């Protein structure tokens, strides 16, 4: 880690916060649901975690960026892999998770359920 102190700590944590769709805020602005991170005994930064539904949208957008094409343009096998990955991350425990994923993949809810059931039967 280049540099020392709070600035370096905040810079090191930022990619993680960005990846999960969180927001970094000053520690003195933290609310009861925010997570305050300390460095060397002092509050360095607070992290405002996203709502679960927002996290799912963030995960889907990141998957699309990583693959370089809209998720709806992927083949069936790739879509099944995405559904399997999202299930492992708890995406379908989120209210409207199946609908959100189905929309992003350009398939019906029924198709997503089929992908999920195929995995359980395999």
């Amino acid at each position: 880690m280049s540099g020392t102190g709070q600035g370096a700590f905040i810079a090191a944590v930022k990619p993680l916060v960005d990846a999960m769709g969180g927001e970094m805020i000053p520690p003195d602005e933290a609310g009861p649901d925010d997570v305050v991170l300390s460095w060397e005994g002092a509050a360095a930064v607070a992290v405002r975690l996203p709502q679960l539904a927002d996290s799912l949208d963030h995960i889907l957008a990141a998957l699309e960026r990583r693959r370089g094409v809209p998720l709806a343009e992927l083949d069936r096998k790739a879509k099944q892999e995405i559904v399997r990955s999202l299930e492992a991350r708890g995406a379908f425990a989120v209210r409207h998770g199946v609908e959100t994923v189905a929309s992003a993949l350009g398939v019906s809810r029924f198709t997503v359920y089929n992908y999920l059931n195929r995995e359980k039967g395999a």
Side-chain angles (χ1 to χ4, degrees):
M1 187 159 78
S2 63
T4 58
Q6 283 189 356
F9 172 72
I10 292 168
V13 172
K14 187 174 185 335
L16 174 63
V17 174
D18 290 346
M20 63 188 206
E23 176 185 0
M24 298 174 86
I25 58 174
D28 59 344
E29 293 179 18
D33 294 330
D34 298 327
V35 179
V36 177
L37 302 178
S38 295
W39 180 253
E40 297 178 347
V45 66
V47 177
R48 181 155 294 153
L49 299 172
Q51 298 297 313
L52 286 175
D54 294 338
S55 290
L56 181 54
D57 288 337
H58 188 80
I59 290 167
L60 289 165
L63 285 169
E64 196 165 270
R65 279 193 309 274
R66 195 172 308 135
R67 293 187 177 252
V69 296
L71 298 179
E73 293 180 10
L74 297 173
D75 64 22
R76 184 171 52 92
K77 185 172 188 265
K79 289 177 183 182
Q80 288 171 335
E81 290 169 3
I82 287 173
V83 168
R84 184 172 36 251
S85 167
L86 291 171
E87 182 182 28
R89 294 173 82 170
F92 301 111
V94 176
R95 183 178 162 103
H96 303 299
V98 170
E99 291 86 348
T100 300
V101 171
S103 176
L105 295 178
V107 298
S108 69
R109 290 179 321 170
F110 180 75
T111 297
V112 172
Y113 284 119
N114 277 343
Y115 291 169
L116 290 168
N117 290 332
R118 185 170 292 127
E119 288 305 312
K120 289 182 174 98

